[in-house]
Amino acid sequence: MAKEKPKQATKSNDSDINLKGTFISVMLVGIFILVLWFGSYALFLSR
Amino acid sequence: MHLHKFEKIWLVFGMASLVLFLLIIGFAAFWKGTHPQSHIETIDPQNVEAHEAFKPENLGLREVADGKYTVNIVASAFNYDFGTDADGKAVKKIRVPKGSTVLFQITTKDVVHGFQVAGTNVNMMVEPGHVSRLETVMKNTGEFTVVCNEYCGVGHHQMFATVEVYE
Amino acid sequence: MMLKNYNFPKKDARLYMSFMYVTFASLLVGGLMGLLQTLSRSGEFQLPFGINYYTILTVHGVILGLVLTTFFIVGFQFALMGKTVGLSDKQRKWAWIAFWTMLVGTIMAAVTILIGEANVLYTFYAPLRAHPAFYIGLALVIVGSWIAVFTNFRQLYVWKKANPGQKSPLLAFMVVINMAMWFIASLGVAISVLVLFIPWSLGYAATINVLLSRTLFWYFGHPLVYFWLLPAYMAWYAIIPKIIGGKLFSDSLARMAFILLLLFSIPVGFHHQLTEPGIDPTWKFIQVVLTFMVVIPSLMTAFSIFATFETTGRRLGHKGLFGWFKNLPWGDVRFFAPFVGMVAFIPGGAGGIVNASHQMNSLIHNTIWVTGHFHLTIATTVILTYFGIAYWLVPHLTGRRLTPRLNKLGIIQTIIWTVGMTIMSTSMHIQGLLGGPRRSDFSNYAGGEQVQTWISYQLAQAVGGTILFIGILLMIYIFIQLAFFAPKGVQEFPIAEEEVDAEPTPKILENWYLWIGITIALILFAYTIPMIDIIKHSPPGSLPFDWPIGRS
Ligand code: HEM
Ligand SMILES: [Cu+2]
Ligand SMILES: [Cu+2]
């Protein structure tokens, strides 16, 4: 949406800041959502 | 606005999961017809007997074809009227064989009620002026408690019945 | 941002504290009811003095779901506005008018409930009819909150005039989003109460359109839960980073998330009406799709929060994949309580996706699973974040300090809440999947194995409920200490700052006409046709019913 800013303006949001831990954490959340949803759907289908 | 590479991956993953869920339930709903109960038929709540299904003699369980049943019920605070048995006693329990297709039709004479055959997917709101209707296959055997699961007054928790599915 | 470490002028602090007194008084009363509910449902105890279960359940739902939340939110948001954009004398006067209107309404509704004239639960579904004073009281609470809404709008407007060309402070922007959402949503319930319920309860209208009243209620009911949640998100985005010694992760993304929440919180009410007759299933499904859209800003929030923790931790020099996590300030209750709230939102939010999944809703609709679900979302995520705010806001307002001892008690409080809620909420979820109904006093029903299993989970809920009530007593003790007895001092009002070199926030994010316009367009899209259907195909109206709720 925003126009890209010259280099120094984006340092803090740069893709090279290390967010590996964050990525792993959110993916675990995502997997939890998938497991709960498919588990519930299986229960729904079995009834 | 600048998104971190990982945030992009995460959002794509998350949104794809949501789309997947929607495709599954959308397919089931629109192709297989497993919408939640949404019967659009109105009725005069003060005169439910005028409707064929809710005449006193038509209440309760009826086998309409081989393996196909209809159950007509009138709810009122704090009772489900399943009609009467041969001795003129109020029916509180119905029995159907496993694998049978059962159509539940229910309406209310007074306030809002719920109708859930606990442990099955039969779960509907029952509202004055409307007929609630859901057809289902009874897949599993057992004794299932029918509960009113929408608050209808101080006797709400005394409103129940039983559905038995036998082998 | 200026003035952060200076206390408010006395006049302002008194205003904000008034909202906090009502909040914590509500917590005590409502919590006691919660305890009695779980004890009664265990089947081991009977309510004393012939008190009806549904009277206390109505008190619990109204006092905690409507009163505690609204008072805390309005008070907290006034404090945020006061800190970031200022409060004039005239605005303070209006804020007091809002407070007293809400309080009078609350007292009216509460008295009506307590004398047994309004056993209708907090959703007051027609055609059960409570005493008119109950509806009038609720209407006053809403009108009072509207006064707060327009005062907040005015506060930002005045600031904007004085600071032309500047972007509004993030927290003020968030408050205005939440209040805009609240106003648009509460129009639904206001119409329902003023046009449908009050004339009908007074006998001027003979009948009521039940489905219409429910649809208006749930048009309001879903944004209501977001109205509770957004102040928690404000703290997560803009306050917690400061507490852990970091900076805002991204001002633009935070604003974007709030805008998406505004857009998609309202046109989704049908997901509470999925099993109702009389609504076209295609429109139900359309609102299910919109409901799934509102998950997206929460996915963004999850990322932002973890990223704030990680960037802060790495900047402080913590190494390894999860070193930043280990070194979060676990001993600081201003962080720890909201953190537990965040964790609870993982199962809470995931459960919400299950609930909203169209036909799958019949798995859990009106079972005690739902109660388990919102005791995770509101009674843990939201409430623990509110507590986390109160630990610094209350002493900031009273000119006292959160002492190490009170901080430690806060940590203990959080742990007690976590344990109690894990027991209560988990057993509610399981019992719900087994079909156990919500909003129900103890009952043996027809007996049998299924019912016996339910009762065993209800016993577990009584254990969890008792632990939770101990947590409430401890919280009340901490509140009283912070309000009256803690040593004098200066408690910081933590507001996170942007990185010095942060990317500028796009102007379009503050284009109110655009966002409110889209919000209204989405509402019209989701509701116009089904609303016309509901009105055109309405059955004969419903007469009022008094006797089922024990009124004569
Ligand atoms: C001591 C702590 C608490 C306990 C033991 C407790 C217990 C309960 C129980 C057992 C129910 C369901 C009863 C039923 O469906 O029959 C319930 C309902 C409810 N609770 Fe709580 N609760 C507590 C705290 C809270 C908090 C902090 C909030 C919100 C801020 C809250 C909001 C609600 C709401 C809105 C309902 C729904 C009422 C209704 O269905 O009409 N509870 N609570
Ligand atoms: Cu009931
Ligand atoms: Cu909702």
Side-chain angles (χ1 to χ4, degrees):
Chain A
M1 229 174 253
K3 287 180 220 85
E4 281 300 313
K5 275 266 137 186
K7 247 212 139 118
Q8 42 81 262
T10 54
K11 200 181 93 209
S12 59
N13 271 342
D14 229 319
S15 291
D16 56 38
I17 58 171
N18 186 349
L19 290 180
K20 262 207 195 108
T22 299
F23 186 64
I24 294 172
S25 313
V26 287
M27 289 312 274
L28 289 175
V29 172
I31 288 166
F32 178 81
I33 295 174
L34 286 166
V35 168
L36 184 72
W37 196 87
F38 280 104
S40 309
Y41 196 63
L43 183 58
F44 174 75
L45 290 180
S46 76
R47 285 184 165 177
Chain B
M1 217 172 330
H2 190 90
L3 285 182
H4 190 279
K5 179 178 71 195
F6 287 158
E7 178 155 21
K8 282 184 199 146
I9 301 175
W10 158 241
L11 287 179
V12 168
F13 171 83
M15 289 192 252
S17 308
L18 295 174
V19 170
L20 177 66
F21 299 161
L22 285 172
L23 285 174
I24 293 173
I25 57 182
F27 175 77
F30 290 96
W31 277 266
K32 296 283 183 73
T34 62
H35 278 294
Q37 191 268 136
S38 303
H39 189 59
I40 316 258
E41 182 187 352
T42 56
I43 186 172
D44 183 352
Q46 298 194 61
N47 190 15
V48 299
E49 295 83 359
H51 190 291
E52 185 63 26
F54 303 115
K55 289 194 166 38
E57 64 272 22
N58 291 342
L59 294 180
L61 180 71
R62 194 126 308 145
E63 183 162 14
V64 287
D66 203 27
K68 286 198 90 153
Y69 296 81
T70 310
V71 187
N72 297 331
I73 307 136
V74 172
S76 62
F78 303 107
N79 182 45
Y80 290 118
D81 190 348
F82 281 83
T84 48
D85 60 18
D87 310 328
K89 284 224 313 256
V91 174
K92 282 286 149 234
K93 179 171 184 173
I94 59 171
R95 302 178 74 242
V96 290
K98 180 178 167 176
S100 48
T101 305
V102 184
L103 172 69
F104 291 92
Q105 299 195 94
I106 177 164
T107 194
T108 163
K109 292 203 278 199
D110 46 36
V111 298
V112 175
H113 297 277
F115 182 85
Q116 180 178 18
V117 184
T120 76
N121 291 333
V122 180
N123 189 348
M124 358 186 216
M125 298 294 300
V126 184
E127 292 174 19
H130 298 267
V131 177
S132 298
R133 205 161 187 263
L134 188 74
E135 191 174 74
T136 190
V137 176
M138 301 309 258
K139 286 187 207 147
N140 303 309
T141 56
E143 288 217 359
F144 302 100
T145 311
V146 174
V147 286
C148 177
N149 64 11
E150 184 55 271
Y151 176 66
C152 53
V154 292
H156 166 56
H157 53 289
Q158 283 141 6
M159 194 163 160
F160 57 84
T162 310
V163 172
E164 187 187 338
V165 181
Y166 57 90
E167 200 57 68
Chain C
M1 259 138 256
M2 57 277 105
L3 294 179
K4 210 176 310 162
N5 293 319
Y6 298 93
N7 289 337
F8 284 107
K10 269 239 157 55
K11 296 185 279 196
D12 293 6
R14 266 207 12 237
L15 169 71
Y16 309 143
M17 269 310 283
S18 308
F19 286 95
M20 297 301 133
Y21 292 131
V22 179
T23 301
F24 284 90
S26 303
L27 179 68
L28 182 60
V29 175
L32 179 62
M33 301 300 135
L35 171 69
L36 294 177
Q37 283 151 227
T38 54
L39 293 181
S40 173
R41 278 168 53 81
S42 74
E44 303 289 322
F45 299 90
Q46 280 221 318
L47 291 176
F49 316 118
I51 300 173
N52 190 286
Y53 178 80
Y54 300 101
T55 303
I56 62 170
L57 184 57
T58 308
V59 174
H60 183 81
V62 169
I63 288 288
L64 293 176
L66 302 177
V67 175
L68 173 145
T69 48
T70 312
F71 273 85
F72 181 85
I73 294 166
V74 171
F76 173 52
Q77 293 188 157
F78 265 127
L80 291 176
M81 295 301 274
K83 207 53 149 183
T84 55
V85 297
L87 181 78
S88 72
D89 286 341
K90 201 159 150 222
Q91 289 157 1
R92 189 181 316 100
K93 212 173 78 207
W94 280 106
W96 277 114
I97 296 175
F99 174 80
W100 285 110
T101 314
M102 286 167 60
L103 190 64
V104 169
T106 299
I107 292 170
M108 252 177 104
V111 170
T112 319
I113 299 166
L114 287 173
I115 59 175
E117 288 292 312
N119 294 331
V120 289
L121 310 191
Y122 83 110
T123 44
F124 56 90
Y125 291 144
L128 293 173
R129 177 171 68 175
H131 190 281
F134 173 77
Y135 304 111
I136 296 170
L138 291 184
L140 282 175
V141 175
I142 294 168
V143 169
S145 76
W146 286 353
I147 298 173
V149 168
F150 286 99
T151 309
N152 288 157
F153 288 175
R154 175 87 197 156
Q155 284 173 280
L156 182 59
Y157 177 80
V158 170
W159 185 90
K160 278 283 213 190
K161 279 268 128 105
N163 298 273
Q166 282 197 43
K167 72 173 172 189
S168 54
L170 178 59
L171 281 164
F173 174 88
M174 291 169 155
V175 169
V176 169
I177 290 263
N178 200 24
M179 284 312 221
M181 183 190 76
W182 170 252
F183 180 71
I184 298 172
S186 55
L187 283 173
V189 73
I191 293 173
S192 175
V193 168
L194 294 175
V195 178
L196 300 179
F197 278 94
I198 292 181
W200 171 77
S201 70
L202 288 167
Y204 298 135
T207 64
I208 192 166
N209 186 331
V210 170
L211 183 56
L212 181 61
S213 74
R214 296 172 65 85
T215 306
L216 286 169
F217 182 87
W218 284 114
Y219 162 85
F220 154 82
H222 188 78
L224 170 68
V225 309
Y226 275 85
F227 178 63
W228 302 334
L229 184 64
L230 261 53
Y233 274 20
M234 293 174 201
W236 297 0
Y237 272 110
I239 286 170
I240 299 290
K242 175 76 181 178
I243 291 174
I244 65 172
K247 296 270 161 81
L248 279 185
F249 176 62
S250 160
D251 181 85
S252 324
L253 282 176
R255 288 179 202 244
M256 191 67 213
F258 268 65
I259 289 170
L260 290 174
L261 287 162
L262 168 68
L263 300 185
F264 293 107
S265 291
I266 309 176
V268 297
F270 282 176
H271 71 222
H272 293 261
Q273 298 183 281
L274 288 169
T275 69
E276 292 194 31
I279 301 175
D280 185 315
T282 305
W283 283 102
K284 288 180 181 172
F285 191 78
I286 289 170
Q287 293 208 6
V288 166
V289 175
L290 291 167
T291 305
F292 276 49
M293 302 286 288
V294 84
V295 178
I296 295 168
S298 289
L299 299 178
M300 292 168 64
T301 304
F303 191 91
S304 279
I305 289 167
F306 282 118
T308 312
F309 294 168
E310 184 162 6
T311 5
T312 308
R314 290 200 185 279
R315 191 159 306 161
L316 296 175
H318 303 304
K319 295 271 180 301
L321 202 48
F322 286 105
W324 51 274
F325 186 78
K326 270 202 240 85
N327 288 290
L328 284 166
W330 298 110
D332 185 343
V333 70
R334 300 171 308 156
F335 164 78
F336 182 60
F339 179 85
V340 173
M342 295 167 186
V343 174
F345 207 54
I346 298 172
I353 301 177
V354 170
N355 301 348
S357 293
H358 203 52
Q359 64 277 58
M360 222 210 291
N361 177 258
S362 63
L363 191 63
I364 50 79
H365 179 74
N366 269 350
T367 68
I368 196 89
W369 157 290
V370 176
T371 315
H373 163 72
F374 63 69
H375 280 80
L376 283 180
T377 51
I378 166 119
T380 308
T381 300
V382 169
I383 274 288
L384 283 183
T385 305
Y386 290 1
F387 290 172
I389 293 166
Y391 290 122
W392 54 262
L393 181 61
V394 172
H396 182 86
L397 294 176
T398 54
R400 296 175 192 278
R401 273 187 304 116
L402 175 67
T403 59
R405 186 182 78 97
L406 290 173
N407 180 68
K408 191 155 175 207
L409 286 178
I411 301 265
I412 294 170
Q413 199 289 332
T414 311
I415 293 169
I416 294 178
W417 199 273
T418 310
V419 172
M421 198 54 91
T422 305
I423 297 173
M424 185 171 95
S425 169
T426 308
S427 50
M428 283 174 163
H429 276 94
I430 299 173
Q431 190 195 343
L433 285 179
L434 299 172
R438 69 181 282 203
R439 306 186 131 179
S440 296
D441 196 357
F442 179 82
S443 173
N444 276 310
Y445 300 102
E449 206 183 317
Q450 198 180 24
V451 177
Q452 276 317 310
T453 325
W454 293 348
I455 292 172
S456 62
Y457 285 103
Q458 285 168 203
L459 278 168
Q461 289 155 31
V463 174
T466 309
I467 298 173
L468 275 168
F469 186 67
I470 295 171
I472 285 187
L473 292 178
L474 182 54
M475 191 63 217
I476 298 291
Y477 172 79
I478 297 171
F479 174 76
I480 292 174
Q481 288 293 315
L482 291 174
F484 304 109
F485 302 110
K488 293 274 177 195
V490 176
Q491 178 74 39
E492 178 198 21
F493 193 115
I495 298 182
E497 276 149 34
E498 279 192 83
E499 306 277 1
V500 273
D501 56 357
E503 202 188 36
T505 306
K507 277 254 172 359
I508 191 168
L509 292 179
E510 233 180 306
N511 187 337
W512 293 104
Y513 292 108
L514 176 67
W515 304 121
I516 299 210
I518 301 181
T519 306
I520 293 172
L522 281 169
I523 293 169
L524 291 177
F525 163 66
Y527 270 107
T528 311
I529 295 175
M531 236 10 181
I532 292 174
D533 261 6
I534 288 171
I535 293 170
K536 241 180 38 199
H537 298 136
S538 52
S542 277
L543 296 170
F545 283 85
D546 295 318
W547 72 264
I549 58 165
R551 295 178 71 208
S552 39

